Amino acid sequence: MTALLEVDNVTVEFSLRGGPVPGSPSRDRFAALEGVSLELAERETLGIVGESGSGKTTLVRAIVGMVPIQKGRIVWKGSDLSGTDPDSRRRIRKDMSMIFQNPLASLNPRMTIGQIIAEPCQVHEPHASRAEIRRRVAETMERVGLAPALVNRYPHEFSGGQCQRVGIARALIGRPKLIICDEPVAALDVSIRAQIVNLLKQLQDEFGISLIMISHDLSVIRHVSHRIMVMYLGHVMEMLPSGHLLQNSCHPYTRALIESVPIPDPSIQKAREMRTIKGELPSMRNPPSGCRFTTRCPIARDRCGDSRPALLEAGPGHWLACPYCDPPPGLKTG
Amino acid sequence: MAVDGASLDIHPGEVLAVVGESGSGKSQTALAVTGLLARNGTPEGSILWEGREILGLPEHRLARLRSEEIAMIFQNPMTCLNPYLRISTQMIEGMTLNRKMTRTQARSACIEMLETVQIADAGNRIDMYPHEFSGGMLQRIMIAMSLLRRPRLLIADEPTTALDVTVQMQIVQLLEHIRRQYDTAIMLITHDLGLVASISDRISIMYNGQIMESGLAENVFSRPRHPYTRALLDAVPRIDQDEKILRGIAGDPPDPASRTPGCPFHSRCAYRMAPCVEHRPDTLGSREHAHACHLPDET
Ligand SMILES: Nc1ncnc2c1ncn2[C@@H]1O[C@H](COP(=O)(O)OP(=O)(O)OP(=O)(O)O)[C@@H](O)[C@H]1O
Ligand code: SF4
Ligand SMILES: [Mg+2]
């Protein structure tokens, strides 16, 4: 399995006064992302979960080149993105597209649906004829469940679910290899979320796309992803196949997340022992030293604050950054 | 009650969840309860407060009821907080205004209430400004403020939607504690079925201003009768189950401006029959479990 995308030990820093400023002295900076690595295969869905401010959006913005990285490499099909010339970088970027959380706000209100969907095509394929583009727009609209007859309407005439379909059509029209979805359903009504989740899964099957899916909602992430990455304050805590999440995950933060997800069935939920995670999320600008979860971890010991625990392989495809938690129950030996 | 004949009732110490999507009229219903709607909308029917009709009460009587007996908390705590004033100023003001209390007494009551909602180091933090707190802490501070007046009814409109899951559970436990400790009735307005399952005693499922199904939480979740309730439960993934596909509900949430003579859900309902389009179904059942649908039972 060759990786489509490889994120290798990437660090992204921001100026404490706001904005990415690579040149500012280090005491004025903080790392929103520190030493993060991941691999993504073709046709794979990687889900990223973590509390607000854990660096999920920063990570995907670094991948698509929207924020500069201070350390590490981003490798696309074997070639280092930071090393390639602007032209090939642009070509690679055409292979990636993004879908955002707030469907209406991410669409230009003055453009028609057709113009919005066609835009990436016009940027990346300036030689495509108008007729060709029109055909592609109609075809893509149909694929995402929008009637092509709506092509001349404006975003404000659409519901939230329809706007998200427009966002998906726009992301899809350039036939990307990777679509990154940053909280694609958080702003939608419950009955619409399932429609969009199903559509994304179906398009992935059909076109063999890879997906990176960011969500606060662990139930959604588990449902759509092949693998799950758990982030906390800019570090990766655990990464494992989503089928193993309930049985084999063992990082105290992952376990706390799982226990916090309510089950929509009162006879089960009310009987569950809810051990809420104590304390507040520390500030990213002044994070705890060593393991970033120390201040809230139920099993923390003194040594946890000394140095950052390495992300080590705890089982097949299972990476874990805690030396003190119990090993995955599925893997216990003698 | 105000929203197109929707009726709700809630007892002391009870948590009633009003569940619905955007445009379902759930916040509208809450506003009607507090009589706020009276100025722009025109509520019909009746609102009984401890057995007495409050609809049509003179404004000053309603205002007193609102300020002394009913409190509201919102999704965004900043709708209730002034960003430029210290928490202490904002909390103490309300107390010294309404009750005969010295500032020192009020201050220590406020600190005590902040401790109840688990704000650590409340004695010092009470003098901080809103921006110095996290979203979850602000939510708890807002709850503390709303509790200072010891309301009989607390209306919580999407109180956890903007919060991380780990913090959501802290708020759930806090609400649970409040109803135990003070026998406060809580009306929880939300679309989050997980939250509903965590805390509510009874549920009302709303669609376009009307109640589709209501009853004890256990009844509605384990024996849902209305096609909308069932579809809603099928549309959410569960952490404890491996569902291969989620069944979304086709179509879009209701347009609040539209009114149909039939069942409000008919355009999206998989079981639609001719009467559904023309006649509003009657609500059948009891306080334990009731629903409004033309389908014969056991379908
Ligand atoms: N352009 C920027 N300038 C300065 N700080 C930033 C910038 N973008 C993000 N940050 C900070 O970096 C940290 C990580 O933010 P990020 O948006 O990646 O988190 P997230 O995991 O996506 O959170 P959420 O779930 O709330 O979307 C936060 O502390 C944020 O305030
Ligand atoms: S390294 Fe220490 S603090 Fe971090 S998760 Fe493990 S036990 Fe907890
Ligand atoms: Mg984000």
Side-chain angles (χ1 to χ4, degrees):
Chain A
M1 192 167 73
T2 51
L4 179 70
L5 170 75
E6 217 186 313
V7 172
D8 178 20
N9 212 8
V10 161
T11 295
V12 173
E13 293 178 342
F14 290 116
S15 150
L16 281 174
R17 277 181 241 105
V21 186
S24 63
S26 62
R27 66 185 156 76
D28 287 344
R29 290 186 264 159
F30 72 97
L33 208 62
E34 194 176 66
V36 168
S37 304
L38 66 92
E39 274 184 17
L40 183 71
E42 279 188 37
R43 296 175 171 270
E44 187 185 28
T45 299
L46 175 71
I48 307 180
V49 280
E51 269 164 292
S52 180
S54 58
K56 307 180 293 295
T57 299
T58 303
L59 171 61
V60 295
R61 283 164 61 94
I63 291 172
V64 298
M66 284 161 76
V67 294
I69 62 177
Q70 263 66 45
K71 288 194 204 108
R73 297 182 315 151
I74 297 199
V75 181
W76 180 254
K77 289 196 213 158
S79 57
D80 187 344
L81 280 192
S82 37
T84 48
D85 59 290
D87 249 13
S88 36
R89 208 155 40 192
R90 206 168 305 131
R91 218 167 325 116
I92 294 165
R93 293 276 143 73
K94 172 182 169 314
D95 279 345
M96 305 178 187
S97 55
M98 263 180 104
I99 296 168
F100 301 93
Q101 168 170 356
N102 193 331
L104 187 57
S106 60
L107 305 177
N108 184 339
R110 274 185 277 278
M111 285 164 73
T112 65
I113 297 308
Q115 289 166 334
I116 290 170
I117 297 174
E119 199 180 32
C121 232
Q122 285 156 342
V123 173
H124 294 299
E125 296 163 61
H127 304 300
S129 72
R130 281 162 147 252
E132 163 69 9
I133 289 183
R134 219 173 305 134
R135 192 186 60 74
R136 293 256 298 271
V137 168
E139 185 189 278
T140 312
M141 285 180 75
E142 215 147 10
R143 274 285 149 68
V144 302
L146 289 170
L150 300 173
V151 66
N152 292 321
R153 300 286 186 84
Y154 288 87
H156 69 87
E157 299 175 70
F158 280 27
S159 67
Q162 282 177 316
C163 284
Q164 199 54 293
R165 288 176 195 270
V166 173
I168 295 172
R170 182 185 156 90
L172 193 68
I173 194 164
R175 287 293 146 80
K177 292 258 165 224
L178 167 64
I179 298 184
I180 295 173
C181 312
D182 193 352
E183 301 273 7
V185 298
L188 302 177
D189 269 308
V190 180
S191 72
I192 304 301
R193 287 182 190 178
Q195 292 178 10
I196 297 297
V197 163
N198 289 344
L199 175 64
L200 287 168
K201 285 178 80 167
Q202 182 192 325
L203 293 173
Q204 169 174 48
D205 276 354
E206 202 171 319
F207 298 107
I209 309 167
S210 300
L211 290 178
I212 293 182
M213 182 82 97
I214 296 180
S215 178
H216 277 88
D217 186 338
L218 195 53
S219 318
V220 169
I221 284 291
R222 193 176 82 95
H223 179 78
V224 299
S225 321
H226 300 112
R227 275 190 308 139
I228 297 179
M229 176 165 130
V230 181
M231 293 185 68
Y232 186 78
L233 288 178
H235 288 184
V236 178
M237 299 285 120
E238 188 164 20
M239 188 146 48
L240 78 171
S242 55
H244 295 185
L245 178 74
L246 299 185
Q247 291 303 316
N248 283 347
S249 67
C250 44
H251 196 284
Y253 179 59
T254 313
R255 297 309 312 181
L257 276 184
I258 294 172
E259 278 172 23
S260 311
V261 178
I263 294 170
D265 180 343
S267 54
I268 299 175
Q269 177 62 18
K270 285 179 181 165
R272 264 170 111 201
E273 188 194 343
M274 299 305 283
R275 270 173 298 165
T276 54
I277 184 168
K278 61 177 185 189
E280 296 288 328
L281 189 68
S283 161
M284 190 72 132
R285 284 153 182 80
N286 185 18
S289 61
C291 173
R292 292 216 159 157
F293 193 51
T294 33
T295 54
R296 299 169 81 193
C297 178
I299 60 162
R301 27 208 104 180
D302 293 343
R303 271 168 299 162
C304 295
D306 295 347
S307 63
R308 174 179 180 178
L311 190 66
L312 298 175
E313 196 157 14
H318 183 174
W319 296 81
L320 175 66
C322 172
Y324 303 117
C325 56
D326 289 332
L331 296 167
K332 256 179 209 156
T333 48
Chain B
M1 192 160 291
V3 182
D4 221 14
S7 39
L8 300 170
D9 66 288
I10 182 165
H11 294 178
E14 186 176 59
V15 179
L16 170 72
V18 180
V19 180
E21 301 179 81
S22 59
S24 63
K26 53 194 193 307
S27 295
Q28 236 43 27
T29 309
L31 290 179
V33 173
T34 64
L36 291 171
L37 205 74
R39 280 190 223 106
N40 29 37
T42 30
E44 294 161 11
S46 88
I47 300 176
L48 300 179
W49 179 261
E50 302 190 319
R52 279 180 302 128
E53 178 63 61
I54 59 167
L55 214 63
L57 273 187
E59 179 52 33
H60 70 275
R61 299 266 309 273
L62 273 181
R64 187 145 105 228
L65 185 71
R66 278 201 297 271
S67 79
E68 288 181 3
E69 312 258 33
I70 301 175
M72 273 190 94
I73 56 176
F74 302 90
Q75 176 173 347
N76 178 0
M78 290 314 291
T79 49
C80 303
L81 292 168
N82 182 333
Y84 304 111
L85 294 179
R86 294 175 200 280
I87 298 298
S88 50
T89 317
Q90 309 192 38
M91 287 183 89
I92 293 168
E93 189 161 20
M95 298 204 73
T96 47
L97 225 64
N98 280 342
R99 310 207 171 160
K100 293 168 213 81
M101 242 191 210
T102 66
R103 282 193 71 81
T104 332
Q105 281 170 330
R107 188 182 162 90
S108 58
C110 291
I111 292 174
E112 202 174 301
M113 194 53 87
L114 287 176
E115 280 162 357
T116 307
V117 300
Q118 287 161 31
I119 299 290
D121 193 20
N124 288 314
R125 274 179 152 160
I126 191 170
D127 289 317
M128 294 182 6
Y129 291 90
H131 71 88
E132 296 175 83
F133 294 92
S134 70
M137 289 169 103
L138 286 177
Q139 194 63 270
R140 279 182 275 150
I141 290 171
M142 181 170 58
I143 294 175
M145 285 175 76
S146 70
L147 291 178
L148 284 174
R149 287 177 276 117
R150 295 283 150 86
R152 309 288 310 280
L153 172 64
L154 179 66
I155 300 177
D157 194 351
E158 301 279 7
T160 64
T161 306
L163 304 174
D164 280 311
V165 278
T166 55
V167 187
Q168 284 181 7
M169 273 304 130
Q170 295 175 354
I171 301 292
V172 165
Q173 290 182 337
L174 177 59
L175 292 175
E176 188 66 55
H177 171 77
I178 289 166
R179 68 106 150 242
R180 289 250 163 78
Q181 178 94 2
Y182 306 115
D183 213 24
T184 311
I186 300 177
M187 183 166 169
L188 179 68
I189 300 171
T190 185
H191 65 266
D192 183 339
L193 294 172
L195 174 64
V196 172
S198 308
I199 184 170
S200 38
D201 303 309
R202 287 192 310 122
I203 307 178
S204 285
I205 309 266
M206 292 193 75
Y207 195 84
N208 209 6
Q210 293 174 45
I211 294 173
M212 303 284 98
E213 181 160 3
S214 61
L216 298 176
E218 278 73 10
N219 288 346
V220 175
F221 272 92
S222 57
R223 286 180 297 283
R225 290 180 187 158
H226 197 284
Y228 175 60
T229 313
R230 293 190 203 165
L232 212 51
L233 288 169
D234 280 343
V236 293
R238 288 172 57 152
I239 192 93
D240 62 332
Q241 279 177 9
D242 290 308
E243 51 283 286
K244 285 285 165 290
I245 43 159
L246 293 178
R247 271 177 289 161
I249 307 178
D252 283 305
D255 171 3
S258 76
R259 281 285 179 271
T260 153
C263 168
F265 187 56
H266 80 255
S267 63
R268 300 171 80 190
C269 182
Y271 304 94
R272 180 181 54 230
M273 309 167 294
C276 304
V277 184
E278 283 148 30
H279 305 290
R280 176 163 306 171
D282 293 331
T283 303
L284 300 175
S286 63
R287 194 170 186 270
E288 273 71 53
H289 202 172
H291 75 301
C293 176
H294 285 302
L295 281 179
D297 257 344
E298 259 66 69
T299 359

